[in-house]
Amino acid sequence: MARAQQSTTEVPRDAARPTRAGRALADGGLAEIALPFVILSLVALTIIPVIIQAGTRRLRSEITDVADPARILVTEAQFALAREMNALRGFLITGDERYLDLYERLLEDEALALRQLAPLTQRLGPEIARRFDELDRAVRSWHDLVVQAGVLERRGIPPGLEREIAFETAVFQQTLAAAARLETAIIGAVQRRRDRISAADTLQLRLTIGLAALALLAVAGVARIGRRLRRLAREAEARRLEVERVVESRARFIRGITHDLKNPLGAADGYAQLLEAGARGELAPGQREWVERLRRSIREALDIIDDVLLLSRAEAGRLEAQPEPVDLPRLVRETVEDHQAAAHSAGLDLRMEPAAGPTQPILTDPGRVRQILGNLLSNAVKYTPEGGRVRVATAVRPGPRELGRAPAAAVAVRDTGPGIPPEAQGRIFEEFTRADSGAAGGAGLGLAISQRLARLLGGIITVESVVGRGSTFTLWLPIREAGAPPVAPGRAA
Ligand code: ADP
């Protein structure tokens, strides 16, 4: 046994593995971050220009649809004003009334230009609207002056040149100046919008370059991680093969050593049996007791050897289950009956509670179920002090998390033994691990084997225990009814 245990530790549970696994995890984590990052960058690269262009579209359209036409209209108004003045001058100099007709037509052109200009200047902001109001007021003042001077009523009257020329007054100059200021303001507004557009274009360019660079970095990172993960996968595969080889050679070693141990132990038991039968004469009472102890020890040793063999077969994936329709409550009852004698001689009250299902036969391996329940019952009998109770209940209940909480057949073995501390409850299913449950002997293999067998059947064993009050070990089995499609025999993991 000592050698078998030693060889267990020889499996290369390589010390470097956690570090590498950690690195692989870190790589996996990085890859998980990097990939979405690449995708986000690509999406951002597509979306950012669209958003920025949408933002500058209004500015561009203000330039092309508002500011540019406004400038043209200002120019038209300036042109009309200049030509109006020329027409008035022509009339005043020549007295030709056709100049007055021309003046009136030009007034209409000017009015039309200003009418069209008004809403455009409103859209270009308060400053431009104010400049337009100034121009409008200046134009009206000048026209009022023309009207007050009575030029238009003087049709046919020859002009008095010196006085009338005074129309080219400061008022007209102010009108032209107001138009020039409006134009300058519009040019300024256009320039400001151009500046904003070019700032947005620059931002877009920088963002595009930045994101593209980051995306490239992320792609390079993902490629590097991919190479590393592939290398780690190759290493893991090599290690798996190595572990498989070691497990196989350990299994071979265990088969050999157990065989070599069983033969002399069997022979020793044979001789002890002969002594017990009086082959060398009747034994004195003290001698008989020692021979009985000798035989008990040999049987225990043989049981441990069988357990080790079973475990090594399970580890090598050589355990198989042969499912068949099984009346579970009946099988449980029979197994409990098999343990009545042991319970009785340990001074325990072992009983089966009325079964609450499954009512139909389930597909499972009866031999394996018997083996598991036998282990749980032996433990209950072994660890429960004299005068205690052991109860076995069979029912269909929602299964544990490991079985996806689906309804499962549950066989619970409840005892009033010493209980198992919470920190030991996980460990007791590991090989050669024992909790401190009193003086009872054992190799710490029974639960490890039982758990493997339970998994082989698609089930699991769970434990609930309170120190000083007792333990409940429950074997959960999936409900595959006999009518269900056949399942391939399982293999131990
Ligand atoms: P063994 O009984 O040979 O030590 P097992 O694998 O069957 O090995 O059990 C592992 C450990 O779990 C035991 O050593 C014991 O400490 C604890 N254990 C198992 N069953 C019970 C029980 N019914 N009551 C208290 N402790 C138990």
Side-chain angles (χ1 to χ4, degrees), residues 304 307 375-384 413-415 417-421 424 427-438 440-450 463 465 470-473:
I304 292 175
D307 282 352
N375 261 327
L376 299 183
L377 281 166
S378 299
N379 277 352
V381 170
K382 182 162 66 171
Y383 292 109
T384 307
V413 179
R414 199 169 69 239
D415 65 49
I420 303 159
R427 268 189 293 120
I428 53 174
F429 292 98
E430 291 167 16
E431 296 124 45
F432 303 107
T433 308
R434 312 194 65 220
D436 183 15
S437 308
L445 282 174
L447 286 180
I449 289 173
S450 300
V463 61
S465 183
S471 313
T472 304
F473 284 85

Side-chain angles (χ1 to χ4, degrees), residues 395-418:
V396 173
R397 282 158 49 192
R401 188 168 37 85
E402 292 84 349
L403 301 189
R405 312 236 178 255
V411 186
V413 179
R414 199 169 69 239
D415 65 49
T416 56

Side-chain angles (χ1 to χ4, degrees), residues 37 309 405:
F37 186 78
L309 256 176
R405 312 236 178 255

Side-chain angles (χ1 to χ4, degrees), residues 20 23 230-240:
R20 296 206 172 177
R23 276 217 306 271
R230 278 195 295 281
R231 203 189 66 229
L232 284 171
R234 277 197 304 276
E235 284 176 16
E237 176 60 12
R239 193 171 296 114
R240 191 186 64 77

Side-chain angles (χ1 to χ4, degrees), residues 456-479:
L456 178 70
L457 301 178
I460 192 165
I461 299 172
T462 57
V463 61
E464 288 163 87
S465 183
V466 178
V467 174
R469 296 186 54 186
S471 313
T472 304
F473 284 85
T474 308
L475 165 65
W476 300 88
L477 291 172
I479 299 181

Side-chain angles (χ1 to χ4, degrees), residues 359-409:
T359 48
Q360 301 291 320
I362 62 166
L363 272 183
T364 192
D365 183 329
R368 299 298 185 197
V369 174
R370 216 183 278 273
Q371 217 170 343
I372 298 168
L373 285 180
N375 261 327
L376 299 183
L377 281 166
S378 299
N379 277 352
V381 170
K382 182 162 66 171
Y383 292 109
T384 307
E386 194 175 345
R389 288 189 308 277
V390 179
R391 295 285 177 269
V392 183
T394 312
V396 173
R397 282 158 49 192
R401 188 168 37 85
E402 292 84 349
L403 301 189
R405 312 236 178 255

